[in-house]
């Protein structure tokens, strides 16, 4: 049994280290050797737990999505109003993306279609549902315009998040990805707020750290 | 000389017919035989003017982009205010897309990368420039918020147009593409308008046929 716990623990350490390296350097440029070296273990030990790098990538992405899900569920429990939820959601994203090399998305899409697919399924099954609920609640509480099309705009919102991450659309040498994300969330909100909603908005952005900076 | 004019004219008729068939059925499903049959000419005659279907596709796209450019230049000459220009631009797009099968974009992207590339270059060299100028003028005339990031939002606007055309994002069985386009332009404008701009906006949407219908 002790052996089993140790194995578990090694597996977790591998995932944790891979996550750290992937987020810092992207996925393609990190090899099994790099992960082994950083952990001070042999490559053979890694292969005892994972058949290949793909298996590590998938587990890293699964865990990251699980963490994001937890964070969003926590926000739901806090029963914030829809405007605050949208701003805090963007704020959370800003923090979580701050430590991620944007090449991770590029590498996932290009070299790890299965893991990319996990991300896409999560987007469809979970995030769009969250955004949809936010929009519906906002309309019901008269914070958002009643003539918005909830289905169209919830897809638009999630696609905007992905768009800001795409270096082919917003090249990294010209745009700061997080500033693009922040510009989008504020533009998106302006696009749906009623006068009543706008008052809440002004209050929350003063309280929130989500300030738009127009650097770069 | 008469012979040359006749050749020219046949070439034009081929392009015109190909445009009509592509727009109606998409590019992939239209063969050289279809074009020849519809024109009542032999396939050999077509091959006298075009080495392959690819050459026809490219000329069709070039001519369509040229037409769009003319239309946009005409709008520029009319010296409309930025809000009216944005609404009329969307209106023009709505009319021009009304007769196009959305599969055209899918086929271009998948089977005719060179023609797709033309479209992308046009997007970058021409449309983004137009949108950028619109946004700058809107900010200068205090119709748009002065804190918008012109570079980020002009890219967002053009990407929204493409997004609405993408059946993987907005499946045709669930969404009417033109309604998505209209929802986007109105949301985009709401996102940037000042109070002053909003007054113009209300006036122009009453005048314009660009009404948002939330069918489907």
């Amino acid at each position: 049994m002790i052996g089993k716990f140790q194995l578990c623990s090694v597996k977790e350490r591998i995932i944790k280290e891979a996550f750290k390296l992937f987020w810092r350097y992207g996925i393609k440029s990190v090899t099994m050797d790099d992960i082994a070296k950083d952990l001070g273990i042999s490559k053979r030990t890694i292969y005892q737990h994972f058949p290949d790098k793909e298996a590590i990538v998938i587990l890293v992405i699964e865990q990251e999505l699980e963490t994001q899900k937890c964070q969003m569920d926590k926000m739901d429990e806090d029963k914030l109003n829809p405007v605050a939820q949208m701003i805090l959601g963007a704020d959370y994203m800003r923090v979580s993306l701050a430590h991620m090399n944007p090449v991770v998305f590029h590498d996932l899409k290009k070299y790890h279609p299965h893991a990319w697919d996990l991300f896409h399924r999560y987007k469809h099954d979970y995030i769009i549902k969250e955004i949809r609920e936010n929009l519906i609640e906002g309309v019901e509480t008269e914070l958002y315009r009643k003539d918005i099309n909830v289905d169209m705009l919830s897809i638009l919102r999630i696609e905007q998040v992905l768009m800001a991450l795409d270096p082919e659309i917003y090249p990294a040498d010209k745009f700061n990805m997080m500033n693009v994300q922040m510009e989008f969330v504020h533009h998106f909100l302006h696009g749906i707020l009623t006068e009543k909603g706008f008052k809440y908005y002004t209050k929350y952005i003063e309280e929130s750290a989500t300030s738009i900076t127009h650097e770069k």
Side-chain angles (χ1 to χ4, degrees), chain A residues 78-89:
Chain A
D78 290 346
K79 296 274 170 225
L80 296 165
N81 89 37
V83 179
Q85 208 172 36
M86 191 77 86
I87 294 172
L88 282 177

Side-chain angles (χ1 to χ4, degrees), chain A residues 185-204:
Chain A
V185 73
H186 288 282
H187 173 265
F188 187 84
L189 273 171
H190 273 271
I192 59 175
L193 290 172
T194 57
E195 265 185 68
K196 180 183 164 190
F198 193 71
K199 281 178 197 154
Y200 278 93
Y201 169 79
T202 314
K203 184 172 160 259
Y204 283 113

Side-chain angles (χ1 to χ4, degrees), chain A residues 1 10 31 42-44 46 85 96 113 135 143 165 192 194 200-201 203:
Chain A
M1 279 306 280
V10 171
T31 63
S42 72
K43 214 160 77 171
R44 202 173 144 262
I46 296 187
Q85 208 172 36
S96 71
L135 294 182
L143 297 170
L165 296 170
I192 59 175
T194 57
Y200 278 93
Y201 169 79
K203 184 172 160 259

Side-chain angles (χ1 to χ4, degrees), chain A residues 14 19 22 28 33 37 50 77 84 95 98 125 129 160 165 169 201 203 215:
Chain A
I14 294 169
F19 174 87
F22 291 162
K28 192 175 191 306
D33 272 320
K37 209 179 290 168
F50 298 97
E77 282 166 22
V95 173
D125 298 351
K129 203 177 126 273
Q160 283 185 348
L165 296 170
I169 299 177
Y201 169 79
K203 184 172 160 259
E215 303 151 21

Side-chain angles (χ1 to χ4, degrees), chain A residues 149-166:
Chain A
N149 185 308
V150 167
D151 290 321
M152 291 178 188
L153 293 189
S154 44
I155 296 176
L156 172 66
R157 179 70 198 111
I158 180 70
E159 289 300 324
Q160 283 185 348
V161 172
L162 297 178
M163 199 191 291
L165 296 170
D166 189 339

Side-chain angles (χ1 to χ4, degrees), chain A residues 74-119:
Chain A
K74 211 186 141 300
M75 277 205 296
D76 280 351
E77 282 166 22
D78 290 346
K79 296 274 170 225
L80 296 165
N81 89 37
V83 179
Q85 208 172 36
M86 191 77 86
I87 294 172
L88 282 177
D91 228 13
Y92 167 67
M93 188 173 64
R94 194 172 62 134
V95 173
S96 71
L97 292 177
H99 303 289
M100 195 194 76
N101 188 324
V103 83
V104 169
F105 282 95
H106 172 267
D107 288 354
L108 270 184
K109 202 170 168 179
K110 195 158 178 188
Y111 307 107
H112 302 279
H114 183 55
W116 181 246
D117 197 51
L118 280 178
F119 180 67

